[in-house]
Every structure is written in C-alpha cells, then in structure tokens.
Amino acid sequence: MSEKSLRSSFSFLLIIDCDNVNQRTGAVRAQTAVTTPGLSRASADGKKTLRKGTAVVTGASSGLGLATAKALAETGKWHVVMACRDFLKAERAAKSAGMNKESYTVIHLDLASLDSVRQFVHNFRRTEMPLDVLVCNAAVYLPTAKEPTFTAEGFELSVGTNHLGHFLLARLLLEDLNKSDYPSRRLIIVGSITGNTNTLAGNVPPKADLGDLRGLMGGLNGLNSSSMINGGAFDGAKAYKDSKVCNMLTMQEFHRRFHEETGITFTSLYPGCIATTGLFRSHIPLFRILFPPFQKYITKGYVSEEESGKRLAQVVSDPSLTKSGVYWSWNKNSASFENQLSEEASDPEKARKLWEISEKLVGLA
C-alpha cells in the first residue's frame, strides 16, 4: 500500500458518514411485485381510521434503506415500496429482516438510468397506490476509483446516481405526493456531514466544492467537459461529497418552490455514522477494519444500522418533525435537532442554478 493511500485512509477515519450503496448494472428491468396496502377508512364500529401511509424508499435492499423499511413496516402503520436495483436481493433482504409480506412492495429502480427512473414511476402508478412519503436514500460511493465510471446517459456515476437520478424521480413523483390525502406528506433526501464544510468532518480533504458548476453544465461526461461538477480532476471521494451537497441544495430548492403551494414537507437529514454498512465495500481493507472501532471508541460517533433506520423512520412519520426546509441531525442522547448547513450547501442562488442545469440534463427543461 502506498504512503498516500495509507494517509488518505486515516484521514477518512475522521469523517465519513455512511449512506446506502447501490452498484450499477447495465440492464434496465421493470419487475414489480404488487401488494396493495390497507386503506381502510372505517373500523367495524363505523368510526373513521387513518389508512396506512405509503412510503417509497430508494436503496431499501441493504443498509440504511433496509433498516428504515423495517422500522416503518414494524409499526403496522406504513406500507413500504422498496425501490431497488436488484429485485431478488430486495425480496431476500425483506424476508431476512422479518418484514411481513403484506407490509412491502418491491419495484425495480436503477437510479443510474433515467429510463429506469421513468419506468419506475410508470410501474408505481400502475399499482394505484397513493404516495405519501418519498425517501431518496440510495447512493454510490467509490473513494478509491482512479478513473470515473458513467451512468447509462453518460454522467459521472456518483453525481448521476445520487443527484440526477433522485432529482428526476422526485420531480416526477411530486405530482403523486401532491395528490395524496395523507395528513403529512413528505419528501426526504439523505444528506451527509462530509459535504457540509462548516464541520470538522467536512473540512478533511478532498472537500466538497461545486465551484461555478461548469463541469455539470458540460454534462459530466469526461469528454467535452470534466467529470466533476466544478470542472476539476476526477476524485471519487469528492464526487460523492459533491453529490451530497447537491442533494441538500435540491431539498431546499424544493422547499422554496413548492412548500407554500402544496403543503408538502421537504427535509434532509444526517442519521449518524453507520460504520459497518456496505458503503465502504469499495474502500481499502485496512480502512474497513479500523473504521468501525475508531468510530465506536475514539470519536463516539458510531450509529448502528438499526438506530439510523429508526432515525430516518422518525423523519418519515414523527408529527413533531413537519417543519419544511430543515436539515435534521441527532445528538448523543438520540434527540433530533435542526442542524446548520454550510454556506455552499445553503446558497439559494447556487441551488437555483443547480436546479435549472439539472432540469436540462434529465430532460425536464
């Protein structure tokens, strides 16, 4: 192992948070398992009861997404649509987690393909289920990649999946959320402390920096433009962090454009460091060995997948967390609080520009 790789590994020990990871496959499938959630409006004595909510969770076949799906399903108050690239993996994961067959539906979604995103929306609408909450959770993280890889449309994979795929999904499903009669409709995007440069974690190189978005404007294709948003040289770790800044900017722009009109709650969150999740499967072995005990015993920032899932499920359903435009975090006592985003991650002008460029790239302009 080179000195640079070792130094980089120990730097990452200080900062990385852990989101769910999906790896791209080439084929676009449209497999759907449909189970209609309970939508009862009245009990046996004639009194009205609240129907089950329906929540779409991307990347729900492992990690944070699976833990969240399980936490919601176990309440008996939610039907979870597991939006996953690997249909069979999602089915096996739900069964292994002990989720009741009636509590979930699996619909194929590959966020690295905009055609797959559109097909998912079509398949979801065919189920005729309402949409009450959309959770944009799935993410790609490739910190050791020397060269960029690309989505089906030719975008750098991390930003193309984590940001552009979710951007299109959320824009298309906003109509469905707005039609819902559920008391509290929410669009939730999982953020990251590593993209927030007002924290110690966010200041460990390579730092997130979208610059003037020149690389994004060029299409992130590595041919006519850089594969990085700011137009710089490729860095897999930075690409992930940049995508998380995009996620948090997108959440705020949704809030500014649509909250007052629709009443939908738009929020982001950092659920804590899930050091044992599959996020780090692409990292060097030494990092994967040292990172969990480092987080448990040195930084004390370790959070289990189960606990992080409960936190995200709380943002989905807790009546006290309905404030829109908020970035949620948790303290050491697992109490939620409104956290402060960095200057870049809360820049309204950059959010507007990011929105407009993203519309063009995904074909919505």
Side-chain angles (χ1 to χ4, degrees):
M1 181 187 303
S2 69
E3 180 183 351
K4 181 180 179 181
S5 296
L6 185 61
R7 184 170 64 252
S8 177
S9 176
F10 280 99
S11 293
F12 278 129
L13 285 172
L14 295 173
I15 59 147
I16 299 295
D17 80 326
C18 318
D19 305 299
N20 185 51
V21 180
N22 284 324
Q23 295 298 332
R24 178 193 167 210
T25 58
V28 177
R29 293 164 291 168
Q31 297 170 296
T32 310
V34 179
T35 305
T36 303
L39 300 176
S40 57
R41 291 285 187 171
S43 60
D45 60 5
K47 294 182 179 179
K48 288 187 177 180
T49 59
L50 180 65
R51 64 168 172 82
K52 277 188 177 182
T54 301
V56 169
V57 181
T58 67
S61 62
S62 64
L64 174 60
L66 178 60
T68 303
K70 180 182 179 182
L72 290 172
E74 286 179 343
T75 67
K77 299 177 182 180
W78 290 90
H79 185 87
V80 182
V81 176
M82 301 173 71
C84 304
R85 177 187 56 79
D86 191 327
F87 182 85
L88 295 179
K89 179 183 177 182
E91 285 284 1
R92 289 193 295 266
K95 183 177 180 180
S96 178
M99 293 172 61
N100 186 298
K101 187 67 178 176
E102 300 302 309
S103 69
Y104 69 91
T105 294
V106 178
I107 303 180
H108 176 263
L109 171 64
D110 182 357
L111 287 161
S113 165
L114 300 183
D115 284 342
S116 179
V117 172
R118 292 185 174 91
Q119 185 65 52
F120 171 85
V121 173
H122 173 73
N123 289 338
F124 173 76
R125 288 171 177 168
R126 285 179 59 195
T127 69
E128 298 186 352
M129 285 187 285
L131 177 61
D132 307 312
V133 176
L134 171 61
V135 179
C136 298
N137 158 73
V140 170
Y141 176 54
L142 303 171
T144 61
K146 303 299 182 184
E147 299 292 336
T149 50
F150 300 94
T151 69
E153 288 75 24
F155 307 124
E156 187 279 320
L157 186 62
S158 297
V159 176
T161 301
N162 305 352
H163 168 57
L164 292 173
H166 275 135
F167 178 79
L168 178 60
L169 180 69
R171 284 291 308 277
L172 294 178
L173 288 178
L174 182 64
E175 175 186 346
D176 301 75
L177 276 172
N178 199 32
K179 289 179 180 178
S180 167
D181 62 351
Y182 203 72
S184 178
R185 300 154 299 147
R186 309 184 192 192
L187 194 161
I188 301 162
I189 302 176
V190 177
S192 169
I193 196 172
T194 62
N196 224 14
T197 55
N198 61 346
T199 65
L200 175 63
N203 275 284
V204 176
K207 295 196 293 184
D209 173 24
L210 306 188
D212 60 3
L213 307 177
R214 67 180 62 186
L216 187 67
M217 285 188 284
L220 298 175
N221 55 34
L223 298 173
N224 301 321
S225 73
S226 168
S227 59
M228 299 294 289
I229 291 178
N230 69 350
F234 175 73
D235 186 305
K238 183 179 183 300
Y240 170 80
K241 296 177 184 181
D242 288 348
S243 75
K244 289 286 121 181
V245 176
C246 290
N247 288 159
M248 294 181 283
L249 286 170
T250 297
M251 176 273 293
Q252 293 166 86
E253 191 66 6
F254 263 111
H255 166 72
R256 282 187 286 267
R257 289 174 182 249
F258 299 112
H259 173 65
E260 185 174 346
E261 173 189 345
T262 66
I264 296 169
T265 295
F266 301 98
T267 56
S268 184
L269 76 152
Y270 168 59
C273 183
I274 320 163
T276 53
T277 190
L279 179 70
F280 302 113
R281 68 187 68 180
S282 297
H283 222 303
I284 61 175
L286 182 61
F287 179 91
R288 297 199 301 269
I289 293 171
L290 295 179
F291 189 55
F294 184 83
Q295 288 294 331
K296 284 182 179 180
Y297 305 116
I298 305 300
T299 70
K300 308 293 185 181
Y302 175 85
V303 176
S304 68
E305 287 187 351
E306 181 181 13
E307 175 60 25
S308 65
K310 290 178 179 178
R311 290 178 178 182
L312 180 45
Q314 181 186 4
V315 178
V316 169
S317 59
D318 192 328
S320 69
L321 303 184
T322 57
K323 185 174 180 179
S324 188
V326 173
Y327 172 64
W328 296 106
S329 291
W330 283 260
N331 61 27
K332 292 183 178 180
N333 296 318
S334 290
S336 59
F337 66 94
E338 296 179 32
N339 209 338
Q340 185 68 37
L341 290 166
S342 68
E343 182 177 350
E344 179 174 51
S346 57
D347 183 342
E349 179 56 28
K350 185 162 286 189
R352 181 196 62 78
K353 188 175 180 181
L354 173 70
W355 182 281
E356 293 173 355
I357 297 170
S358 300
E359 280 189 322
K360 294 178 182 178
L361 293 178
V362 302
L364 291 178

